[in-house]
Amino acid sequence: MTERMTGAQALVRALENVGVDTVFGIPGGAILPAYDPLFDSRQVRHILVRHEQGAGHAAQGYAQATGRVGVCMATSGPGATNLVTPIADAYMDSVPIVAVTGQVASGAIGTDAFQEADISGITMPITKHNFLVTRPEDIGRTIAEAFHIAGTGRPGPVLVDIAKDALQASFGFEWPQALQLPGYRPVTRPHSKQVREAAKLIVEARSPVLYVGGGVVKARAAAELRVLAELTGAPVVTTLMAKGAFPDSHPQHMGMPGMHGTVGAVGALQKADLIVALGARFDDRVTGKLDGFAPRAKIVHADIDPAEISKNRHADVPIVGDCREVIADLVVAVQAEHSAGRTGDYTAWWRQLNAWRETYPLGYDQPSDGSLSPQHAIRRIGEIVGPDALYVAGVGQHQMWAAQFIGYEKPGSFINSGGLGTMGYAVPAAMGAKVGSPDATVWAIDGDGCFQMTNQELATCAIEGIPIKVAVINNGNLGMVRQWQTLFYEGRYSNTDLHSRRVPDFVKLAEAYGCVGLRCEKADDVDATIERAMEIDNLPVVVDFVVHQDAMVWPMVAAGTNNDEIQFARDLAPEWENGD
């Protein structure tokens, strides 16, 4: 049925029709027509952020916490370009968001008009798809297509750029009855022959590993993964983006692989004779120097995106499909192998794995000067707050410590910027996660460097009633960069001292934003400070943990080196066994 309305009204109607309940954004000239009907929407809550980057990361946090498509909105030119970083971040981590941007009037496009930027061109390499809409009749269909593309197949960001005159014009609105996307057909069902071949390799292997990536979380396949792991008896490693997909406490879990992974997880991959990669992309932070990665291993690689398979490491058995369906089919195929009397014997393999795990556990030294250990503060947050909370990390040392020392038992409980490594991610993403999961306790684990990039969103949290909790791991430096300067630049600390022990005062800053500010400088005060933060549930809380400036993240595989060169402390490397 046709209804007369403006393009702006059609946009809001379309957002309502696809089920949007929250939009993070900032109005401006080109997008302003959309904000007038948005004012009257009873379904869509608009959250006015303080920076468009915050809107994009909030949409990501919302999407990660809910599994739904997150939405952000900005005006043309600088408003749109401020969304580029979160769009790129979402692209790298396969996060479904739709970014709606205003554009100058269609007749002015290409004339260098005021606040004009070719945002569809700029974001072409970092979006799953994008649209430039110049006719009001196309708005409804485009929004429907954008949400379908963002949330299906391998999830990702989609940009919808709408010319101002298209928003202002009136037309007869009709909601599309069917989507017309003939070129978009994601494959979800795996090929049965490939699955059977993978199952055969699993039972024949002597030292297999299930290498689990973020695709398992995206596919909501944690339950199926646990069945497969326990059926096979194989060890499991979970990447940074897959933390919680398999419980950290499970005896088959070897931890996180990669640059700052556990010695056991890195060793498991390096010495494996079979790697079953599920929704993982053989990222350089996992593989180290690629030509030295897992030299004896055959590779089964399952992913919903065919472009990922054999991109970095040749797959002996490629499987294209949704991880949930792939794993479910693998379970059936492995059961068939077992029924035929073919089972894997991993006794010697587990003897070796357990030796690595016991000999090289994760740990840290207490600072000799009596200052607070950052690892201790983060570990106690995890232990006191518990596994039901959502933990959102920024990027750097604190991110790695949050991955290492908080126990994740549930998929989606750890939200962070993995592929792009975006400083400033934590606070706005935590805000979005809390909006999407209002009953969950949400802690942002941030560094003093990251925190100063986007902490203005604390004002949004205070005004909008979004009571997140922020742990600022304040070592006064750009900690990860300082660590590299210590290890590789002879301690020449060029431009990494933030002086953030003095400027700003994070407690006063929090209070100025209408939040509660707390400070902790001693290990004896950590528990009481966390418990005090947990007691406050009506306001955002910022805890300034003043920590030792020279704490380092171990283990470590230096960039560009072989995973066999992993160090579990400075100048200390494990004594590899099992065919080394």
Side-chain angles (χ1 to χ4, degrees), residues 21-22 24 45 47 62 66 430-438 442 466:
D21 57 20
T22 307
F24 302 92
R45 175 190 183 188
I47 293 178
Y62 176 97
T66 65
M431 176 176 70
K434 182 66 175 176
V435 171
S437 297
V442 179
I466 308 170

Side-chain angles (χ1 to χ4, degrees), residues 36-88:
D36 187 62
L38 190 59
F39 188 70
D40 297 322
S41 177
R42 294 182 179 182
Q43 176 180 316
V44 181
R45 175 190 183 188
H46 181 273
I47 293 178
L48 178 62
V49 298
R50 295 318 188 251
H51 192 286
E52 290 90 354
Q53 182 179 352
H57 291 321
Q60 286 183 273
Y62 176 97
Q64 295 281 62
T66 65
R68 302 172 61 198
V69 177
V71 186
C72 53
M73 188 176 290
T75 196
S76 63
T81 58
N82 282 341
L83 287 176
V84 168
T85 295
I87 288 172

Side-chain angles (χ1 to χ4, degrees), residues 254-322:
M254 294 300 298
M256 181 178 75
M259 176 176 278
H260 294 295
T262 65
V263 172
V266 173
L269 287 176
Q270 281 299 96
K271 306 306 178 183
D273 64 1
L274 174 68
I275 293 175
V276 180
L278 302 168
R281 57 190 178 88
F282 292 88
D283 173 68
D284 65 291
R285 283 300 190 261
V286 168
T287 66
K289 190 176 180 182
L290 194 59
D291 60 10
F293 174 71
R296 297 189 301 114
K298 290 184 177 180
I299 304 295
V300 173
H301 192 177
D303 202 287
I304 198 166
D305 184 355
E308 286 297 340
I309 294 176
S310 294
K311 184 179 77 175
N312 293 327
R313 174 67 179 259
H314 172 73
D316 298 282
V317 179
I319 304 175
V320 178
D322 178 83

Side-chain angles (χ1 to χ4, degrees), residues 351-371:
R351 190 180 304 119
Q352 178 63 79
L353 295 170
N354 287 327
W356 286 331
R357 185 155 53 186
E358 292 165 10
T359 306
Y360 308 108
L362 287 172
Y364 53 89
D365 296 324
Q366 297 292 345
S368 58
D369 61 1
S371 58

